[in-house]
Amino acid sequence: MVGRLTPSLSLETLPRRQGATVHLIDWSRLGAPEARRLRELGFDEGVEVEVLHRARLGGGPIACRIGRMQVALRRAVAAAILVAPRAA
């Protein structure tokens, strides 16, 4: 289908300030508390996200924007979220 976005990377690897759409969340990679928190924050398929900041040290959290909220996610959680970057 022309114009349909396909996931090409995880939220963990999405470049900073690159808008994207959540395509899939691999709920099986998340613990129950993490999955519940994502749902409460509004993470779901079709939601627009953007990576704002990454901790300088490799294993630190990632700050993301979802809607008008800014949230910090552990890298393992961000890795379970597949996104389709928006065209520049």
Side-chain angles (χ1 to χ4, degrees):
M1 175 184 249
V2 176
R4 185 166 186 180
L5 298 175
T6 57
S8 59
L9 62 156
S10 71
L11 185 58
E12 178 188 24
T13 59
L14 182 69
R16 283 182 57 224
R17 303 291 181 185
Q18 167 70 51
T21 303
V22 175
H23 180 75
L24 176 75
I25 299 174
D26 186 353
W27 300 108
S28 67
R29 293 178 58 183
L30 303 172
E34 294 166 328
R36 183 175 50 251
R37 180 174 178 252
L38 283 184
R39 287 183 178 109
E40 288 170 353
L41 291 171
F43 274 89
D44 204 356
E45 295 171 8
V47 171
E48 298 293 320
V49 295
E50 177 184 358
V51 173
L52 301 174
H53 307 284
R54 286 189 173 81
R56 291 190 186 266
L57 299 175
I62 297 172
C64 301
R65 176 177 292 133
I66 174 172
R68 290 184 280 162
M69 292 185 299
Q70 292 182 24
V71 297
L73 299 175
R74 292 183 180 102
R75 287 188 186 254
V77 173
I81 302 170
L82 297 179
V83 297
R86 287 194 305 251

